[in-house]
């Protein structure tokens, strides 16, 4: 195609597109500086186009025969534009070829176009880690339900039951700090994968080892604890490297919220499975699900960054440090704030998890079936609250709240609300350690107590946007190591707190003094210390 140009009101207007704006501007300037002169020229068009011939004489050249509408293209103008038009035509052909329909009738996409996945890479990894945490607590609570038929079949005493239950927490406490250190060195994804493999094998081995000896079964539970102890620090390390700060509360809430979902799902499934397939079924099924997870997780390439996150929002990509500054951690007030908060929060979580069925049965005179059902209700409330925690916390950060204030607010709700509920339960609980349904008056507000416990657990879910995010705030590089330290402190209530409730109950003969008042006191101490010392500012040693 040849360019067609016309002269209208002493202005050149090129109709061939695209013509560079720079060239057009130069030609307009040249035309404005030219003086038109008339001379005879042969007519090139039809008779009705017989216009006076023109030549534009410029200071440095004579451009012959600037054409009018209907005239042929001038050789001089064509020579000036040939090189530009050829380049433009080649670009046009390239652009047309990228959008020209293929032989099948569908437009072929540009060669470098990468289709965006429906779910961004970072959220697929978060979803898989949340599923791992669901399996984590399913393998934790299965023993609390299966121990009843196991004790009956194998002839265990109450002391034997306690030994089996506490064996898990010994292994869980041992791997917290090593998990953080190893995650910092080799990456949290590999450590999490190893943890799921370990606890799945330990769960799979439990039924045959239980028939060998009590010690062998305890060894398998220690093995499960070792594997599950790797999970929190490794997942925190992955999120610190993958999730932008403005999405951190939602990611942490989703992952650690899997623990609450796992508790509820495990309590729901264990009863029917044991009834119809026997107690070994809960170990074999849950172990198989864990091993299936280990086959799927590496296929998602969890170590890769998310390319859809803008570079300015990408979290820091820290290399493996030469040494973890343990001494600096010990001198940091914000680190001690998280340690204290983790210990105080888990005191209430683990002691209530272990003793609520006994409390419903002994203090309120309920049957075992009802006790199991009522134990499930608070965890359902916690699970229902979890989806709201992350978006609300991240929304406050987006609106301009400082991250430190958001963390303190969330953790304050997780401490103050449950402490108030514990005080109310202590007041409403009947005196005495054991009662029957006949010995209790009709005035015992069982429904109100269950409601208070449910509110307490639901408000406790706000810790997911509080202390559980704080490690990544202080230092993405050492987030896994920090969580290893604080989660070690958080594991001790599973060993000490559960035993202390039993000792206090024997000495005081009061559920209020043994369970509710110590829990409330611990939560209030955590509230004061975390509010005073906590910070989300990136530390100098980070």
């Amino acid at each position: 195609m040849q360019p067609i140009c016309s002269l209208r009101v002493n202005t050149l207007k090129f109709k061939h597109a695209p013509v560079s704006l720079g060239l057009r501007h130069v030609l307009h300037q040249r035309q404005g500086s030219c003086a038109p002169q008339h001379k005879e020229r042969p007519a090139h068009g039809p008779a009705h186009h017989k216009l006076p011939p023109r030549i534009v004489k410029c200071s440095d050249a004579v451009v012959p025969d600037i054409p009018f509408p209907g005239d042929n293209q001038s050789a001089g103008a064509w020579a000036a534009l040939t090189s530009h038009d050829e380049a433009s035509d080649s670009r046009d052909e390239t652009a047309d070829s990228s959008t020209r329909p293929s032989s099948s009738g569908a437009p072929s996409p540009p060669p470098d176009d990468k289709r965006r996945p429906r779910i961004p890479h970072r959220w697929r990894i978060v979803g898989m880690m949340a599923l791992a945490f669901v399996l984590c607590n399913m393998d934790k609570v299965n023993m609390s339900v299966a121990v009843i038929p196991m004790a009956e079949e194998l002839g265990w005493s109450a002391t034997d039951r306690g030994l089996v239950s506490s064996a898990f927490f010994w292994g869980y406490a041992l791997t917290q700090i090593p998990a953080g250190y190893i995650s910092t060195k080799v990456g949290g994804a590999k450590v999490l994968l190893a943890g799921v493999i370990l606890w799945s094998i330990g769960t799979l081995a439990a039924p045959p080892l239980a028939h060998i000896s009590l010690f062998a079964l305890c060894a398998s539970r220690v093995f499960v604890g070792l594997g599950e102890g790797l999970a929190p620090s490794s997942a925190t390390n992955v999120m610190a490297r993958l999730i932008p700060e403005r999405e951190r509360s939602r990611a942490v809430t989703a992952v650690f919220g899997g623990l609450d979902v796992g508790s509820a799902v495990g309590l729901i499934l264990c009863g029917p499975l044991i009834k119809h397939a026997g107690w070994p079924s809960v170990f074999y099924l849950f172990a198989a699900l864990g091993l299936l997870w280990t086959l799927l997780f590496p296929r998602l390439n969890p170590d890769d960054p998310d390319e859809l996150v803008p570079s300015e929002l990408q979290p820091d990509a820290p290399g493996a440090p030469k040494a973890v500054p343990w001494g600096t951690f010990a001198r940091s007030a914000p680190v001690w704030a998280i340690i204290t908060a983790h210990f105080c929060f888990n005191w209430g979580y683990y002691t209530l998890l272990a003793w609520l069925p006994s409390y419903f049965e002994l203090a309120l005179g309920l049957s075992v079936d009802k006790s199991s059902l009522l134990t499930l209700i608070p965890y359902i409330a916690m699970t229902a609250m979890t989806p709201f925690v992350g978006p609300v916390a991240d929304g406050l950060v987006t609106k301009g709240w400082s991250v430190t204030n958001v963390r303190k607010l969330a953790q304050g709700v997780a401490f103050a609300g449950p402490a108030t509920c514990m005080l109310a339960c202590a007041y409403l609980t009947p005196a005495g350690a054991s009662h029957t349904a006949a010995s209790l008056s009709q005035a015992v507000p069982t429904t109100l107590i269950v409601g208070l416990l449910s509110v307490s657990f639901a408000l406790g879910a706000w810790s997911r946007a509080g202390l559980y995010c704080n490690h990544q705030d202080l230092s993405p590089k050492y987030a896994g190591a920090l969580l290893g330290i604080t989660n070690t402190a958080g594991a001790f209530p599973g060993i000490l707190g559960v035993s202390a409730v039993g000792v206090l109950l024997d000495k005081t003969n009061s559920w209020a003094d043994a369970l509710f008042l110590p829990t409330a006191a611990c939560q209030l101490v955590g509230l004061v210390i975390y509010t005073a010392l906590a910070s989300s500012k990136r530390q100098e040693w980070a």
Side-chain angles (χ1 to χ4, degrees):
M1 177 186 297
Q2 290 186 352
I4 301 174
C5 40
S6 61
L7 182 64
R8 296 180 180 175
V9 195
N10 293 329
T11 302
L12 282 172
K13 181 178 180 180
F14 289 88
K15 294 181 180 178
H16 181 277
V19 176
S20 68
L21 295 177
L23 180 59
R24 186 183 299 176
H25 179 67
V26 170
L27 292 177
H28 281 309
Q29 286 184 334
R30 291 175 59 124
Q31 184 195 14
S33 63
C34 295
Q37 295 182 2
H38 295 274
K39 76 170 188 177
E40 293 184 1
R41 66 176 177 87
H44 298 286
H48 62 273
H49 281 130
K50 291 181 179 180
L51 298 174
R54 302 167 57 104
I55 281 188
V56 180
K57 185 179 292 184
C58 303
S59 57
D60 56 347
V62 174
V63 182
D65 195 18
I66 294 181
F68 282 79
D71 291 343
N72 290 331
Q73 174 67 300
S74 165
W78 171 252
L81 297 176
T82 298
S83 60
H84 177 78
D85 290 337
E86 289 177 351
S88 300
D89 291 340
S90 64
R91 287 195 300 269
D92 293 342
E93 291 176 0
T94 302
D96 291 341
S97 64
S98 65
T99 57
R100 186 179 299 123
S102 61
S103 59
S104 60
S108 53
D112 295 333
D113 184 30
K114 294 183 179 180
R115 295 183 178 180
R116 293 189 176 185
R118 290 185 177 181
I119 302 176
H121 172 70
R122 61 189 183 279
W123 287 107
R124 283 186 287 169
I125 301 303
V126 166
M128 285 296 291
M129 292 194 299
L131 181 58
F133 275 56
V134 171
L135 298 173
C136 177
N137 258 27
M138 288 173 64
D139 287 330
K140 186 184 297 181
V141 304
N142 59 0
M143 181 59 75
S144 66
V145 180
V147 71
I148 299 173
M150 291 173 72
E152 183 179 353
E153 178 182 333
L154 301 174
W156 292 346
S157 65
T159 302
D160 295 335
R161 293 187 186 190
L163 182 61
V164 171
S165 298
S166 63
F168 168 87
F169 290 101
W170 284 107
Y172 189 73
L174 287 176
T175 50
Q176 296 297 321
I177 292 178
Y181 177 77
I182 298 172
S183 297
T184 302
K185 291 291 186 179
V186 304
K190 298 181 179 66
V191 177
L192 178 60
L193 181 64
V196 180
I197 293 174
L198 284 177
W199 86 58
S200 298
I201 293 175
T203 302
L204 186 66
L209 291 178
H211 289 92
I212 295 175
S213 69
L214 183 66
F215 178 79
L217 177 61
C218 289
S220 74
R221 294 303 292 172
V222 171
F223 206 66
V224 174
L226 290 173
E228 294 196 10
L230 298 175
S233 296
S234 58
T236 298
N237 180 275
V238 173
M239 289 185 285
R241 295 168 179 261
L242 193 62
I243 305 299
E245 184 179 85
R246 67 181 185 182
E247 298 178 352
R248 190 164 293 160
S249 295
R250 278 171 285 178
V252 173
T253 300
V255 172
F256 284 90
L259 296 174
D260 308 323
V261 176
S263 297
V265 172
L267 291 172
I268 292 172
L269 293 180
C270 284
L273 284 172
I274 292 173
K275 181 178 179 180
H276 294 94
W279 62 263
S281 63
V282 299
F283 297 99
Y284 291 140
L285 176 60
F286 294 175
L289 293 175
L291 293 175
L292 177 61
W293 184 94
T294 63
L295 298 178
L296 299 177
F297 185 61
R299 298 174 63 89
L300 297 180
N301 300 318
D303 289 320
D304 294 346
D306 192 338
E307 297 180 355
L308 297 181
V309 178
S311 57
E312 64 272 11
L313 298 179
Q314 286 277 6
D316 296 337
K322 295 182 179 180
V324 177
W326 304 107
T328 305
F329 294 164
R331 296 188 296 270
S332 173
V335 171
W336 278 105
I338 306 175
I339 292 173
T340 305
H342 214 147
F343 178 89
C344 294
F345 179 79
N346 278 10
W347 182 284
Y349 187 83
Y350 287 145
T351 55
L352 291 172
L353 176 65
W355 285 97
L356 274 184
S358 299
Y359 168 75
F360 288 135
E361 181 184 2
L362 299 175
L364 303 183
L366 302 176
S367 65
V368 176
D369 294 339
K370 290 184 178 179
S371 297
S372 300
L373 178 61
L374 293 179
T375 302
L376 178 62
I377 293 176
Y379 290 97
I380 293 177
M382 194 174 197
T383 303
M385 176 64 74
T386 299
F388 299 98
V389 173
V392 171
D394 286 338
L396 292 176
V397 174
T398 303
K399 290 180 179 179
W401 284 50
S402 71
V403 179
T404 297
N405 288 338
V406 172
R407 300 288 180 255
K408 288 184 177 181
L409 175 64
Q411 193 59 45
V413 171
F415 275 142
T420 303
C421 293
M422 292 300 101
L423 293 174
C425 288
Y427 177 78
L428 295 172
T429 299
S434 180
H435 299 277
T436 63
S439 66
L440 290 171
S441 65
Q442 298 298 323
V444 176
T446 302
T447 303
L448 180 57
I449 291 175
V450 173
L452 287 170
L453 290 171
S454 299
V455 171
S456 173
F457 274 70
L459 295 178
W462 284 89
S463 65
R464 309 305 185 199
L467 73 91
Y468 284 96
C469 291
N470 215 169
H471 312 82
Q472 302 170 54
D473 298 329
L474 297 181
S475 172
K477 182 186 297 184
Y478 300 114
L482 288 172
L483 185 61
I485 295 172
T486 67
N487 218 26
T488 300
F492 280 108
I495 302 171
L496 304 177
V498 174
S499 302
V501 172
V503 172
L504 290 172
L505 189 61
D506 288 337
K507 290 187 175 181
T508 64
N509 200 36
S510 169
W511 284 96
D513 295 337
L515 180 60
F516 296 119
L517 293 179
T519 299
C522 200
Q523 290 167 335
L524 291 175
V525 169
L527 172 64
V528 172
I529 293 179
Y530 190 82
T531 302
L533 300 180
S535 174
S536 291
K537 294 182 179 179
R538 189 69 54 85
Q539 301 298 295
E540 296 179 357
W541 40 264

